[in-house]
Amino acid sequence: MTSLTSPDPLTTTPSAAGRKPVISRDDVIAAAIKLLGPHRSVSSLSLREVAREAGIAPNSFYRQFRDMDELAVALIEMAGSSLRQIIGEARQRARTNRSVVRGSVEAFMAQLRSDDRLLHILLREGTVGSDAFKQAVDRQLNFFEEELQRDLIRLAAANRTGLYEPALTAKAITRLVFAMGATAMDLPADKLPELSEQLVVMVRMILTGTRALAANPRELQADLP
Amino acid sequence: MTSLTSPDPLTTTPSAAGRKPVISRDDVIAAAIKLLGPHRSVSSLSLREVAREAGIAPNSFYRQFRDMDELAVALIEMAGSSLRQIIGEARQRARTNRSVVRGSVEAFMAQLRSDDRLLHILLREGTVGSDAFKQAVDRQLNFFEEELQRDLIRLAAANRTGLYEPALTAKAITRLVFAMGATAMDLPADKLPELSEQLVVMVRMILTGTRALAANPRELQADLP
DNA sequence: TGTACATCAGTGAACGCGCGTTCACTGATGTAC
DNA sequence: TGTACATCAGTGAACGCGCGTTCACTGATGTAC
């Protein structure tokens, strides 16, 4: 998990002279995350609400962010890098074990249920809110796709199998996992294992398909299961 | 396209006596649709805004709907049935032609660009808003999956190929198409053909995969492309 | 060390606004006879 | 046909509320000497 308290030298003002800040950007971010839930998206939060939760005056918010959009983008980026780290670790672990797919899917689902709401942000804010919002989410999804693609290529080489359009394969898997994750967000916890299992099979359908197509691209023409 | 003016006997009050209504539910619905756009989701519309667009007093809204949620659910259901009809027609047409996948994907993409914003509603409102919202969207997606599954089974039988878990295959395709559609919503029109092409390949990956798995389920264990 | 000063993080009060919802109402349209 | 009456679709005004944003401010903390 990305720490909420480590200062970011790029965003924290140097304050060469004058008083040291007692409120940090991260305090405000933490307050916003606390307010998120199954029925609250970032775009539905008000500035005053976040300020209230952070224990500061509404106008003090402006010392940290230009507006709510800037806060939202910060949240999205934090969520993306956190998720990539977690899935990356899951892949490392799985590589020495057995199933990369199952390991990654389960790490994803576990993260969905974790206390910090970061993944929820990525899943939800992609379709609503300002352009800045959507672009930020899309950027994170692209990072994710790139890492997945690299992994797919490496593993395909190791197993001496082919990949029909690795980029497209990675994109399909990423989008499908996120779409299913968005559904899972609102499910009771006991339905999750079943959904995990479904998702594992779905991902393997894509993997089996891309491998079969690499072996025999003419199957692409046969327009039919 | 579902007509906006045909009366629904289940929702229109009989008005056994008294004045006939001059505002219909459909007028209000049409006003709401008119307000939707790339930056306006149903959940961001206010009651007063819709009333203004419909040319009625804010409180007249209550004669038609209990609240905005009820309007949203009506919109979602209308969007779902409209889309299913369009894709159904596309499948019929494609069956006599050549590619069912390409035909359906292109019909979907065309609908995405059509003047009525109905598809946008389905793509957007699934992740935000009240539970009633999300359930309504999910219900429509399920209808969609069921029809697709029926089609897949029929076609597989006709081609003497197998299907590994038809329900899961239909679900994977549906969710992937809707996820990619949500991305496409905000793209400039000239990027759409490329995205259509990508989506066609993705869907065929899944179809090729489900067929290969049906032929040889042991591939499911080989955890790797 | 002590003193004078500059900085600026955080505040309290106020603004105008659009919102959802309520109330009592009006008057056109339909029904009964 | 004409008249008296009932219905109820739609309204205008008003309410209290939370919102984003602004302003002039305070006073703790740092720096200069």
Side-chain angles (χ1 to χ4, degrees):
Chain A
M1 185 82 305
T2 303
S3 166
L4 291 184
T5 49
S6 67
D8 179 355
L10 288 174
T11 53
T12 310
T13 41
S15 84
R19 194 180 169 191
K20 262 189 190 159
V22 316
I23 300 167
S24 74
R25 274 172 78 95
D26 290 339
D27 292 336
V28 179
I29 287 176
I33 289 175
K34 213 167 166 188
L35 289 169
L36 296 176
H39 298 283
R40 301 303 313 272
S41 67
V42 177
S43 24
S44 79
L45 294 181
S46 76
L47 182 150
R48 289 180 102 103
E49 215 174 350
V50 174
R52 216 178 293 126
E53 180 66 36
I56 59 174
N59 45 2
S60 302
F61 179 93
Y62 294 111
R63 299 265 176 208
Q64 314 297 333
F65 299 97
R66 173 185 304 276
D67 52 24
M68 285 294 292
D69 261 30
E70 201 178 290
L71 167 60
V73 170
L75 280 168
I76 290 169
E77 284 170 0
M78 187 181 278
S81 71
S82 147
L83 180 65
R84 272 179 283 133
Q85 188 192 323
I86 282 162
I87 300 297
E89 286 167 6
R91 287 209 195 106
Q92 291 288 353
R93 239 181 296 118
R95 196 169 301 160
T96 63
N97 263 343
R98 19 176 224 103
S99 166
V100 183
V101 172
R102 171 162 276 120
S104 305
V105 166
E106 279 169 4
F108 184 90
M109 287 306 204
Q111 184 56 16
L112 202 57
R113 282 318 204 192
S114 103
D115 286 337
D116 63 67
R117 319 286 199 164
L118 287 178
L119 182 46
H120 291 214
I121 297 170
L122 271 191
L123 293 174
R124 254 212 199 100
E125 314 299 334
T127 50
V128 278
S130 68
D131 274 347
F133 257 59
K134 294 183 199 160
Q135 283 169 19
V137 171
D138 221 58
R139 207 159 39 234
Q140 297 304 319
L141 284 182
N142 285 336
F143 288 154
F144 207 85
E145 286 172 26
E146 284 166 20
E147 292 191 4
L148 177 55
Q149 182 182 348
R150 237 172 286 138
D151 244 49
L152 289 176
I153 290 175
R154 199 175 35 68
L155 287 168
N159 288 33
R160 287 185 231 283
T161 60
L163 276 179
Y164 184 78
E165 300 224 33
L168 227 48
T169 307
K171 190 170 198 164
I173 292 175
T174 303
R175 303 293 163 147
L176 183 57
V177 168
F178 275 78
M180 293 296 289
T183 304
M185 226 171 14
D186 301 309
L187 287 182
D190 61 324
K191 291 278 169 62
L192 279 204
E194 186 193 338
L195 202 133
S196 271
E197 208 49 48
Q198 290 189 349
L199 193 44
V200 167
V201 175
M202 289 175 174
V203 171
R204 283 176 175 164
M205 279 182 189
I206 296 177
L207 290 178
T208 305
T210 195
R211 191 164 46 173
L213 287 176
N216 181 16
R218 268 193 305 153
E219 290 208 55
L220 206 61
Q221 304 301 328
D223 196 64
L224 216 269
Chain B
M1 182 83 301
T2 304
S3 165
L4 292 184
T5 49
S6 67
D8 179 356
L10 289 175
T11 54
T12 310
T13 41
S15 85
R19 195 180 168 191
K20 262 190 191 159
V22 316
I23 300 168
S24 72
R25 274 172 77 95
D26 290 338
D27 292 337
V28 179
I29 287 176
I33 289 174
K34 212 167 166 189
L35 289 169
L36 296 177
H39 298 284
R40 301 303 312 273
S41 67
V42 177
S43 25
S44 79
L45 294 180
S46 77
L47 182 150
R48 289 179 102 104
E49 215 173 351
V50 174
R52 216 179 293 128
E53 180 67 33
I56 60 173
N59 45 1
S60 301
F61 179 93
Y62 295 110
R63 300 264 175 207
Q64 313 298 333
F65 299 96
R66 173 186 304 277
D67 53 23
M68 285 294 292
D69 261 28
E70 200 177 291
L71 167 60
V73 170
L75 280 168
I76 290 168
E77 282 168 2
M78 186 180 277
S81 71
S82 147
L83 181 65
R84 272 179 282 132
Q85 188 193 322
I86 281 162
I87 300 297
E89 287 166 5
R91 287 208 197 108
Q92 292 287 354
R93 239 181 295 118
R95 197 169 301 161
T96 64
N97 263 342
R98 18 175 223 105
S99 166
V100 183
V101 173
R102 170 161 278 121
S104 304
V105 165
E106 279 170 4
F108 184 90
M109 288 306 205
Q111 183 56 17
L112 201 58
R113 283 318 204 190
S114 104
D115 286 338
D116 64 66
R117 319 285 197 164
L118 286 178
L119 182 46
H120 290 215
I121 297 170
L122 271 191
L123 292 175
R124 256 215 197 96
E125 315 298 333
T127 50
V128 278
S130 66
D131 274 346
F133 258 60
K134 293 183 200 161
Q135 282 168 20
V137 171
D138 221 58
R139 206 159 40 233
Q140 297 304 318
L141 284 183
N142 285 335
F143 288 154
F144 207 86
E145 285 172 26
E146 283 165 22
E147 292 191 4
L148 177 55
Q149 182 183 348
R150 237 173 287 139
D151 245 49
L152 289 177
I153 290 174
R154 199 174 36 66
L155 288 168
N159 287 32
R160 288 186 233 281
T161 60
L163 276 178
Y164 185 79
E165 300 224 33
L168 227 47
T169 307
K171 190 169 198 164
I173 292 175
T174 303
R175 302 294 163 145
L176 183 57
V177 169
F178 275 79
M180 292 297 289
T183 304
M185 226 170 16
D186 301 310
L187 285 182
D190 62 324
K191 292 278 168 64
L192 278 205
E194 186 194 339
L195 201 133
S196 272
E197 208 48 49
Q198 291 189 348
L199 193 45
V200 167
V201 174
M202 287 175 176
V203 171
R204 284 177 175 163
M205 278 182 189
I206 295 177
L207 290 178
T208 305
T210 194
R211 189 164 44 174
L213 287 177
N216 180 15
R218 269 193 304 153
E219 291 208 54
L220 207 61
Q221 304 301 330
D223 196 65
L224 213 269

